[in-house]
Amino acid sequence: MADGLAKFRANPPAVKDVAALQHTRLAPPAGASVVRVYSRILPTPEGCNDNNKNLQRDHVWILKEEVRLLAKGEVAEPLRLRLLRFALVDAVRGEPDFWTLADIKQSEFRATVENGAVAVHASFSMQTAKQTLSGTMDLEIKTDGDAVTRVKGYAACTASGSGTWTPGAPEGKFPLKFAFVLAPQTKDTVPPQAAMYGREYLTGR
């Protein structure tokens, strides 16, 4: 130890300054509306891992140009793909595997405008070698210009399989539910988990 200490003192390592890491906070594009998404397995199958009893929270962004189209009864493709690929995922046990375009096996969206609100009904089916998810979604969205003022939504799905970082899913098929509401404090909300995809998150492609 004495020899090692002497060698260290004779030839100490160079000390270099390390620049502070720069962290850029992900934020929704200007004018985007933020919708909060809740998901859980309900009812929880008897005897499954307790992690399946979690309530998961996330967000999804609706861009202002998409809001204008919603008011006309049109669900823009980027919004459809953002919901399918990044919102309707099994994140109950942690960080989910997000769907790719090729994983979307079937999807249909219909929007009708009545009494100042947009009613969106969707059916969908996604599948990989490890996971499946299919079901229906109904959203009631009120808009004012290019802003969303109210959201009430629900998706009832049947899922199967575990993700790469979310092991321990119930055996076989299980019920997965989603609820959608307008986030109360847009500027204070955590970015969607999939916002790290950048432009792909915004365009869906």
Side-chain angles (χ1 to χ4, degrees), residues 35-39 56-60 86-87 89 91 98 190-194:
V35 175
R36 185 165 291 168
V37 184
Y38 298 92
S39 61
Q56 175 66 13
R57 301 168 181 84
D58 198 8
H59 295 97
V60 63
F86 302 122
V89 295
F98 296 106
V190 176
Q193 288 177 288

Side-chain angles (χ1 to χ4, degrees), residues 24 27 29 69 136 191:
T24 301
L69 290 173
T136 61

Side-chain angles (χ1 to χ4, degrees), residues 2-97:
D3 289 344
L5 180 60
K7 291 177 181 178
F8 174 83
R9 288 173 174 170
N11 187 27
V15 178
K16 296 183 178 180
D17 292 331
V18 178
L21 293 175
Q22 298 298 315
H23 174 69
T24 301
R25 183 180 182 275
L26 294 172
S33 299
V34 181
V35 175
R36 185 165 291 168
V37 184
Y38 298 92
S39 61
R40 67 181 305 179
I41 297 172
L42 189 70
T44 308
E46 186 175 350
C48 69
N49 190 299
D50 281 348
N51 287 338
N52 290 294
K53 299 177 182 179
N54 296 338
L55 172 67
Q56 175 66 13
R57 301 168 181 84
D58 198 8
H59 295 97
V60 63
W61 294 338
I62 303 180
L63 310 188
K64 60 182 182 180
E65 56 267 27
E66 297 166 348
V67 178
R68 289 194 288 264
L69 290 173
L70 281 171
K72 298 177 181 179
E74 181 180 343
V75 186
E77 181 191 75
L79 178 56
R80 297 197 308 266
L81 294 177
R82 195 177 309 127
L83 289 166
L84 293 172
R85 293 188 56 196
F86 302 122
L88 295 167
V89 295
D90 178 10
V92 170
R93 294 169 307 284
E95 189 70 24
D97 288 356

Side-chain angles (χ1 to χ4, degrees), residues 52-192:
N52 290 294
K53 299 177 182 179
N54 296 338
L55 172 67
Q56 175 66 13
R57 301 168 181 84
D58 198 8
H59 295 97
V60 63
W61 294 338
I62 303 180
L63 310 188
K64 60 182 182 180
E65 56 267 27
E66 297 166 348
V67 178
R68 289 194 288 264
L69 290 173
L70 281 171
K72 298 177 181 179
E74 181 180 343
V75 186
E77 181 191 75
L79 178 56
R80 297 197 308 266
L81 294 177
R82 195 177 309 127
L83 289 166
L84 293 172
R85 293 188 56 196
F86 302 122
L88 295 167
V89 295
D90 178 10
V92 170
R93 294 169 307 284
E95 189 70 24
D97 288 356
F98 296 106
W99 306 108
T100 68
L101 281 173
D103 299 335
I104 302 173
K105 305 306 179 183
Q106 178 271 331
S107 70
E108 181 181 356
F109 282 75
R110 299 195 312 270
T112 56
V113 182
E114 187 175 352
N115 298 325
V118 186
V120 177
H121 176 78
S123 62
F124 45 84
S125 177
M126 282 80 79
Q127 181 177 352
T128 68
K130 298 188 299 181
Q131 292 182 283
T132 68
L133 186 141
S134 61
T136 61
M137 175 176 61
D138 287 283
L139 303 172
E140 182 183 283
I141 303 172
K142 290 190 175 182
T143 66
D144 182 5
D146 56 12
V148 173
T149 58
R150 183 173 182 268
V151 175
K152 182 171 68 173
Y154 177 76
C157 303
T158 299
S160 68
S162 296
T164 305
W165 300 281
T166 56
E171 294 292 332
K173 295 183 177 181
F174 55 91
L176 184 59
K177 306 295 197 318
F178 298 84
F180 302 81
V181 295
L182 190 66
Q185 296 289 334
T186 299
K187 62 185 176 66
D188 296 329
T189 54
V190 176

